[in-house]
């Protein structure tokens, strides 16, 4: 249960909805006009959908854990580079957009859909409904908290806010590598039996 809740919370506190909800503000903070910010936000949405489809197609071949580790690492690197660009005011060229797109692609290829796959698989059958409900509530509470605090963080920390989420991505890499089981190719009964070992 604890693994499921923490995985659900990490999906959100690595900052995805700050980027998705506040993308126009992020791009405007980088010096873009309102129209350009909206266009780049649309590009972010297209990348999100495209890489979610890719994740769905490869998750059973690659495995859940490798996707989560690689995706979290990609998210963290992108956020550190995005934060650096803001701190150093390096807004020339397409780099801010590139870092945001790399972050969203990394999330959509892993943490976005794969967390839901794992949550649906790891809980024993007799408590799956209740356990999924608890993990889902934890996820949406985390989403609410992140979206409420991001504007404050952006105002107080400016680009350093992205470093905070980058650190959370590092935490996600370590947590997934150490605690999240690989469920690829296992039946629900085999997954349930593995918790009893």
């Amino acid at each position: 249960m604890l693994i499921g809740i923490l995985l659900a919370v990490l999906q959100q506190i690595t900052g995805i909805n700050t980027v998705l909800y506040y993308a126009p503000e992020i791009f405007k903070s980088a010096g873009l006009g309102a129209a350009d910010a909206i266009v780049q936000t649309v590009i972010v949405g297209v990348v999100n959908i495209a890489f979610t489809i890719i994740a769905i197609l490869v998750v059973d071949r690659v495995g859940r854990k490798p996707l989560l580790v690689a995706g979290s690492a990609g998210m963290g690197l992108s956020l550190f580079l995005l934060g650096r660009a803001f701190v150093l005011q390096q807004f020339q060229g397409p780099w801010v957009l590139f870092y945001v797109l790399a972050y969203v692609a990394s999330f959509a290829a892993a943490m976005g859909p794969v967390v839901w796959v794992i949550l649906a698989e790891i809980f024993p059958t007799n408590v799956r409904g209740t356990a999924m409900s608890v993990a889902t509530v934890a996820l949406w509470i985390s989403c609410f908290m992140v979206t409420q605090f991001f504007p404050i963080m952006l105002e107080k920390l400016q680009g350093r806010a992205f470093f905070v989420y980058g650190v959370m991505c590092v935490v996600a890499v370590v947590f997934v590598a150490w605690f999240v089981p690989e469920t690829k190719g296992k039946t629900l009964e085999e997954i349930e039996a593995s918790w009893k070992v």
Side-chain angles (χ1 to χ4, degrees):
M1 188 72 228
L2 190 58
I3 289 172
I5 289 172
L6 288 175
L7 190 58
V9 169
L10 281 168
Q11 186 201 53
Q12 294 302 309
I13 65 172
T14 49
I16 186 59
N17 285 318
T18 63
V19 172
L20 295 181
Y21 295 171
Y22 296 104
E25 292 303 314
I26 292 169
F27 291 130
K28 281 195 275 185
S29 296
L32 292 176
D36 289 335
I38 295 298
V39 169
Q40 293 196 359
T41 301
V42 170
I43 295 169
V44 168
V46 170
V47 167
N48 189 17
I49 292 168
F51 278 84
T52 299
I53 292 168
I54 290 169
I56 291 167
L57 295 174
V58 303
V59 68
D60 284 327
R61 279 181 278 163
V62 176
R64 285 82 164 125
K65 197 166 181 165
L67 275 178
L68 287 175
V69 170
S72 297
M75 290 163 58
L77 178 60
S78 302
L79 287 169
F80 285 122
L81 291 171
L82 182 61
R84 180 178 176 273
F86 270 85
V87 168
L88 300 178
Q89 300 286 299
Q90 293 178 332
F91 300 137
Q92 306 82 7
W95 291 109
V96 169
L97 175 63
F98 176 77
Y99 299 145
V100 169
L101 292 179
Y103 169 76
V104 170
S106 297
F107 176 87
M111 287 295 272
V114 178
V115 164
W116 291 106
V117 172
I118 288 180
L119 291 178
E121 293 175 337
I122 64 171
F123 298 120
T125 308
N126 62 328
V127 297
R128 182 169 292 124
T130 303
M132 275 290 292
S133 299
V134 171
T136 301
V137 167
L139 185 148
W140 288 113
I141 289 172
S142 301
C143 174
F144 174 78
M145 297 302 289
V146 166
T147 54
Q148 292 304 302
F149 285 106
F150 179 69
I152 298 166
M153 290 173 64
L154 194 58
E155 180 185 337
K156 302 287 185 189
L157 301 175
Q158 287 86 40
R160 290 175 183 83
F162 297 112
F163 295 148
V164 174
Y165 298 120
V167 169
M168 291 298 103
C169 292
V170 173
V171 170
V173 169
V174 173
F175 176 75
V176 170
W178 284 357
F179 297 108
V180 175
E182 177 57 76
T183 57
K184 176 184 123 177
K186 295 180 181 177
T187 66
L188 295 176
E189 291 75 18
E190 288 170 338
I191 295 166
E192 184 172 342
S194 72
W195 293 116
K196 299 173 183 174
V197 175

